[in-house]
Amino acid sequence: MSSLFDWFANRRKSGASNSRGQEREIAEGLWNKCEACGVLTYTKDLRANQMVCLECGHHNRVYSDERIRQLIDANTWKPMDENLRPTDPLKFSDRKSYSARLREYQEKTNLPDGVQTGIGQIEGQWVALGVMDFRFMGGSMGSVVGEKLTRLIERATRERLPVIIVCASGGARMQEGMLSLMQMAKISGALERHRDARLLYIPVLTDPTTGGVTASFAMLGDIIIAEPKATIGFAGRRVIEQTLREKLPEDFQSAEDLLKHGFVDAIVPRTQLKKTLAMLIRLHQPQRAMTHLMQWPEALSISTGKPN
């Protein structure tokens, strides 16, 4: 009798264990826990809201493929320089060789390097778009990132297109030494020629935008837009605190703090970003400017840091 009872008890435990395992397997990837408020959201609903938490508005990181889908009209994206790949001119090695590290990230992300560039339409208007991808070595700026962005800007200047660059980067890529730092000047020079042609450039600063990217093209826009609560700065918080030997404010290097001090022009929620960019492009086309001028800023929910 005792053995029969044990058999049923063990069977129940085994069934319960399999059931829980099956539930975990089914639930894998179906739900997303917000890093900010801890609320569980159905992943499909979160993606429909462009990876912005429905409860607290926290902006989860999105990467280049998803960002292009969010901004560019369907079936209008024309990528540029897809086959441009980095080399290892310095034969750099730390814990592993730079060549091996590049192969690792190329396999992991299915990207040749840390930026995608191309031409596409935003609400029917052609733009030159560059999107940095933080998955690829922290979005670091090496020679290929610099070359692709420079070619994008130069094509936009020739074809008289506005340029939008979505920035997400830890800065220059140390494995390429001085060659990576040269990209700051190269991209900045291309942007200056674009400006001389009286054409529009809008950088969109996402979390994080730091280092040499902040020190160059991220801050050279005609209108600088940031996502809510994005970390934006040059040196890291810890380095600055150790140098100054004092505690920095909690909101230091946040998009909101930079808006308050005039480093960015507007903070735009991701769900409003495409609409905002389309509006700004129209406003900078003289023949359409007067038509849309009266719609600004009532039509958009953005923060400009200025009193109403």
Side-chain angles (χ1 to χ4, degrees), residues 95-115:
R95 285 179 295 177
K96 62 175 69 173
S97 70
Y98 180 41
S99 297
R101 201 176 292 278
L102 286 171
R103 285 194 299 272
E104 177 187 327
Y105 279 98
Q106 286 165 350
E107 291 169 5
K108 185 188 298 184
T109 64
N110 201 29
L111 296 171
D113 211 304
V115 70

Side-chain angles (χ1 to χ4, degrees), residues 122-152:
I122 296 180
E123 294 192 359
Q125 301 168 105
W126 286 103
V127 300
L129 176 68
V131 183
M132 304 187 76
D133 199 310
F134 196 74
R135 292 174 302 171
F136 199 104
M137 298 186 71
S140 54
M141 178 178 58
S143 300
V144 167
V145 171
E147 182 65 19
K148 289 184 72 170
L149 288 175
T150 301
R151 291 185 186 185
L152 177 77

Side-chain angles (χ1 to χ4, degrees), residues 64-83:
S64 55
D65 291 329
E66 181 65 24
R67 185 75 69 171
I68 292 166
R69 281 193 293 269
Q70 290 175 4
L71 293 178
I72 297 296
D73 299 347
N75 303 317
T76 66
W77 179 245
K78 300 178 180 179
M80 291 175 54
D81 303 308
E82 289 182 283
N83 297 320

